[in-house]
Amino acid sequence: MSPARPLGNTTRPGDPPGGRRAVAVWGIGVSVYFVAVIFRTSLGVAGLDAADRFQVNASALSTFSILQLLVYAGMQIPVGLLVDRLGTKKVLGIGVVLFTAGQLGFALSPTYGTALASRALLGCGDAMTFISVLRLGTRWFPARRGPMVAQFAGLAGMAGNLVSTLVLARLLHGVGWTAAFAGSSLAGVVVLVLLVLFLKDHPEGHEPEPFPHQGAAYVRRQIAASWREPGTRLGLWVHFTTQFPAMVFLLLWGLPFLVEAQGLDRATAGELLTLVVLSNMAVGLVYGQVVARHHGARLPLALGTVGATALLWAATLAYPGDHAPMWLLVVLCVVLGACGPASMIGFDFARPANPPERQGTASGITNMGGFVASMTTLFAIGVLLDATGDDYRAAFSAVFVLQAVGVSQILRLRRRAARRERERLVASRVSTVHVPA
């Protein structure tokens, strides 16, 4: 007898067929997320320029990313509910309009206050993309493709990050602030046209069940039911613990750390940021394949990534002398590249724990984890840099505190989630046996 496969990784009656049509439609959704990540991470290559343009210190500079992530994290559950109710196309369309307006506003902002408002608007639109893409994948692909679909979506996001580090950075120093940011906003217009013309929420014959009566009571029930599932909470803490070290590095503090603390020039620092992105893309392909074939590898991969990240950060920050050697920085960046793929594993705990009508809500709860951790760490590093006179070793020690909190929660929830998953598997087998041919 072959070993039992987890419920979230089996082909179920009524699963979408997948195929080329699914890839084409899903690709449009992914292109929206790709552009959103370009806009989200554009500040990562412009942090020092932004500090000069708006004449702000480290704490004020970190406020750009903190506010953007605060809006993003705060929007996750409302967006999940909206996706469950309105479908992917409408929510993605609203998101594109908002993040494009935010990017254009950031290009034209004359003051720190208007730039902050623009980043908040961008964060609001960005918040509507990833959950929508995940939902689009569940509507167009069989459940067994879930881990690979999530990893490929993350891969597209890292490709957007790569565009920021390679293309937008050069544009910024070639044509200037306004032209670079305003020109990049045209990508939002392009994906909006594609979305309106070609994207469909689901294949024919796979329409979702009619959405139930709306109201505050329903919303509370939807959130409470998702939260009661140990798999949803475990997914949130896996996302929380794995994503933020790389997110903080790429979103804002990586370039200043490499230039000001490690003495590298901007070109070399940019190459190391690019290495993080390339590593993320390579590791994402491996993690997706491993999780799709061996569901039991989810937690070891996640905790292994956290351990390796903590070890490399500790070695880099504790290295004697003024600067860490280049080989150590390279290894650090390679390991940081695994953080994004490891965070996608969080969705592989939350997805099978919830029925289709709660997928958006559960994904929203899970997706809050990493962004809350990133927001907290961004703020802590900025405050510690100002308080210690730009001591990056002290400031980046905040990473270990968040990792310790996250790991403790993962270890607390892992057995409950595993037990609940076994119960669902048994129930699925029983219902399958009694389904008439």
Side-chain angles (χ1 to χ4, degrees):
M1 180 181 293
S2 61
R5 294 171 67 88
L7 178 60
N9 211 29
T10 57
T11 301
R12 298 174 297 196
D15 262 356
R20 293 182 181 178
R21 172 69 170 158
V23 172
V25 173
W26 183 71
I28 296 172
V30 168
S31 69
V32 174
Y33 178 57
F34 169 77
V35 174
V37 173
I38 295 175
F39 293 178
R40 179 201 302 169
T41 58
S42 57
L43 186 61
V45 297
L48 297 177
D49 301 86
D52 291 338
R53 180 180 177 87
F54 300 111
Q55 295 298 300
V56 294
N57 61 15
S59 297
L61 179 61
S62 67
T63 302
F64 277 123
S65 296
I66 291 167
L67 178 61
Q68 184 179 331
L69 293 183
L70 178 64
V71 172
Y72 188 105
M75 287 286 292
Q76 289 309 290
I77 293 177
V79 167
L81 291 164
L82 280 176
V83 171
D84 286 337
R85 180 188 177 210
L86 301 178
T88 300
K89 185 170 185 174
K90 290 180 181 179
V91 176
L92 272 181
I94 296 170
V96 174
V97 171
L98 291 177
F99 69 60
T100 302
Q103 184 78 342
L104 182 60
F106 193 59
L108 304 176
S109 292
T111 65
Y112 177 68
T114 55
L116 272 180
S118 297
R119 295 306 286 187
L121 188 63
L122 192 157
C124 187
D126 181 20
M128 298 183 176
T129 58
F130 187 67
I131 293 176
S132 298
V133 171
L134 288 181
R135 178 57 177 267
L136 194 67
T138 64
R139 290 297 187 191
W140 280 91
F141 293 97
R144 61 189 173 86
R145 299 293 187 192
M148 282 303 299
V149 167
Q151 288 291 352
F152 273 116
L155 194 65
M158 293 314 296
N161 206 321
L162 192 62
V163 170
S164 287
T165 57
L166 292 180
V167 179
L168 190 58
R170 293 181 181 179
L171 281 175
L172 186 64
H173 299 116
V175 301
W177 179 282
T178 301
F181 280 98
S184 67
S185 67
L186 293 175
V189 178
V190 173
V191 293
L192 179 61
V193 172
L194 292 174
L195 184 152
V196 171
L197 293 179
F198 302 112
L199 191 137
K200 291 185 64 176
D201 283 335
H202 49 76
E204 294 181 9
H206 291 270
E207 291 78 6
E209 295 292 328
F211 200 81
H213 177 70
Q214 290 302 291
Y218 172 80
V219 171
R220 287 195 298 269
R221 286 195 302 272
Q222 193 83 331
I223 295 172
S226 294
W227 183 255
R228 277 196 299 268
E229 291 290 346
T232 304
R233 283 175 281 147
L234 180 59
L236 178 146
W237 285 109
V238 167
H239 200 268
F240 176 101
T241 314
T242 53
Q243 186 200 47
F244 79 92
M247 175 70 74
V248 167
F249 197 78
L250 290 171
L251 200 60
L252 182 62
W253 290 122
L255 188 69
F257 170 76
L258 294 172
V259 172
E260 296 179 352
Q262 299 302 319
L264 303 180
D265 57 60
R266 283 197 180 205
T268 305
E271 290 172 357
L272 287 175
L273 293 179
T274 303
L275 178 61
V276 177
V277 178
L278 293 174
S279 172
N280 184 297
M281 297 171 76
V283 173
L285 293 174
V286 175
Y287 278 19
Q289 291 283 354
V290 171
V291 173
R293 296 177 182 181
H294 308 284
H295 237 43
R298 291 174 298 174
L299 210 52
L301 282 177
L303 291 176
T305 301
V306 173
T309 304
L311 178 64
L312 265 298
W313 262 123
T316 302
L317 297 178
Y319 195 86
D322 293 334
H323 308 309
M326 178 58 71
W327 67 264
L328 183 56
L329 295 176
V330 168
V331 176
L332 171 67
C333 290
V334 170
V335 171
L336 284 176
C339 291
S343 72
M344 294 297 102
I345 295 173
F347 297 101
D348 291 315
F349 286 106
R351 184 174 46 251
N354 292 272
E357 63 271 16
R358 287 207 310 265
Q359 290 293 315
T361 305
S363 294
I365 293 172
T366 300
N367 208 29
M368 284 180 62
F371 289 93
V372 169
S374 297
M375 178 178 60
T376 304
T377 310
L378 283 167
F379 177 74
I381 290 174
V383 170
L384 287 170
L385 283 173
D386 287 337
T388 60
D390 292 337
D391 185 343
Y392 278 88
R393 291 185 177 183
F396 272 90
S397 64
V399 169
F400 306 115
V401 177
L402 274 291
Q403 286 183 321
V405 171
V407 168
S408 68
Q409 293 300 314
I410 291 171
L411 296 178
R412 183 178 68 87
L413 288 165
R414 72 189 193 282
R415 287 192 177 89
R416 299 184 203 176
R419 183 169 60 250
R420 184 79 173 106
E421 190 165 291
R422 286 194 297 269
E423 292 171 356
R424 286 193 306 271
L425 180 59
V426 171
S428 173
R429 287 175 175 173
V430 171
S431 64
T432 302
V433 168
H434 287 89
V435 172

